[in-house]
Amino acid sequence: MLILSPSILAADFTKLGEQIRKTAEAGAGYIHLDVMDGMFVPQISFGMPVIETIRKCTDQVFDVHLMIEDPGRYIEAFAKAGADIITVHAEACTHLDRVIQQIKATGKKAGVALNPATPLSALDYVLDELDMVLVMTVNPGFGGQKLIPYCLQKVRDLREKMKTRGLNLDIQVDGGIKASNAKEVIEAGANVLVGGSAVFSGDVAANTKAFMDVFAEMESR
Ligand code: DX5
Ligand code: ZN
């Protein structure tokens, strides 16, 4: 199933509730929440209190992308704030297996993200434990960047690896994703697409629909 996960990083925070509602009405399944700590990535975005507040205005699946050092310190807190999927960066965890188990213990779905330069083999021994792999298609930290083309090869390699191992987890892509390159990333093997600026710059409903049109075309094949 193809899912759009709009990243609110690019949203108008003065009308966040309304913008989230528009993406949901136009067919987006998730809301992508980018948490940045100013250490793992240069920016500081938002944390638990903001997520807790937005939780009150939507039933969308909360897809929380933790771009923070040592995320094991905060798994329970993000679960409590309303996360449905918690994704941590492999590069930010000294004890990745332990953090994955921590996420699973909260009853939430577990995802691991890989920066562009991190090889897939970092996940070889934990792949069976995961619900989702997030293949970053830009270096994390900022919205509005351009997709790094070689990352699509990583998506293809991951889809192939999963096939060989009989696994069917979600493959998410994040960074520089637009309706105009959605077909290419889906063909590579991704099924959860994060869209920040491509969803929230301009007409949110029309932008979301542009993704949905590509999804419908790909699903009818
Ligand atoms: C980047 C974040 C992304 C970001 C995507 O570090 O993880 O989720 O919001 O923004 P766009 O779609 O504009 O590249
Ligand atoms: Zn993200």
Side-chain angles (χ1 to χ4, degrees):
M1 190 182 171
L2 298 171
I3 297 162
L4 178 65
S5 192
S7 163
I8 64 161
L9 207 58
D12 179 348
F13 274 68
T14 63
K15 32 185 168 175
L16 195 51
E18 184 193 321
Q19 294 212 324
I20 290 174
R21 219 171 6 259
K22 278 187 185 164
T23 69
E25 280 166 11
Y30 292 177
I31 282 294
H32 186 82
L33 299 149
D34 286 305
V35 178
M36 303 177 174
D37 66 350
M39 292 293 287
F40 182 68
V41 290
Q43 300 248 54
I44 298 176
S45 58
F46 51 79
M48 289 78 86
V50 171
I51 295 177
E52 226 172 282
T53 307
I54 317 171
R55 185 72 282 182
K56 293 180 192 132
C57 69
T58 176
D59 290 330
Q60 292 291 85
V61 170
F62 274 17
D63 164 30
V64 177
H65 177 193
L66 296 180
M67 284 166 275
I68 64 177
E69 285 293 350
D70 196 5
R73 296 172 294 159
Y74 295 108
I75 300 302
E76 285 76 16
F78 281 104
K80 238 171 121 192
D84 296 299
I85 305 167
I86 300 178
T87 299
V88 296
H89 270 263
E91 304 86 0
C93 300
T94 308
H95 302 289
L96 180 60
D97 179 80
R98 182 181 292 152
V99 178
I100 294 167
Q101 300 314 326
Q102 261 180 283
I103 300 173
K104 292 173 76 163
T106 65
K108 310 298 178 185
K109 289 192 170 172
V112 175
L114 299 177
N115 283 338
T118 305
L120 276 183
S121 58
L123 300 182
D124 273 357
Y125 298 102
V126 293
L127 213 49
D128 302 53
E129 302 292 316
L130 302 179
D131 297 291
M132 187 171 85
V133 175
L134 166 48
V135 177
M136 289 303 303
T137 38
V138 298
N139 290 297
F142 308 93
Q145 302 181 78
K146 261 190 128 154
L147 180 144
I148 301 170
Y150 72 73
C151 297
L152 293 191
Q153 190 52 46
K154 200 195 283 191
V155 173
R156 284 184 208 105
D157 292 346
L158 175 58
R159 190 49 81 187
E160 196 53 41
K161 193 181 280 244
M162 279 167 42
K163 211 161 130 194
T164 312
R165 291 176 53 169
L167 294 171
N168 193 26
L169 7 155
D170 290 318
I171 301 182
Q172 183 174 58
V173 281
D174 181 9
I177 307 296
K178 305 177 182 320
S180 57
N181 61 19
K183 193 171 158 190
E184 197 185 355
V185 299
I186 294 165
E187 272 168 350
N191 70 304
V192 183
L193 278 62
V194 176
S197 40
V199 173
F200 290 104
S201 308
D203 186 334
V204 176
N207 293 341
T208 305
K209 189 177 174 296
F211 277 96
M212 291 307 122
D213 290 347
V214 178
F215 290 3
E217 185 198 329
M218 297 303 284
E219 272 165 348
S220 70
R221 277 183 170 187

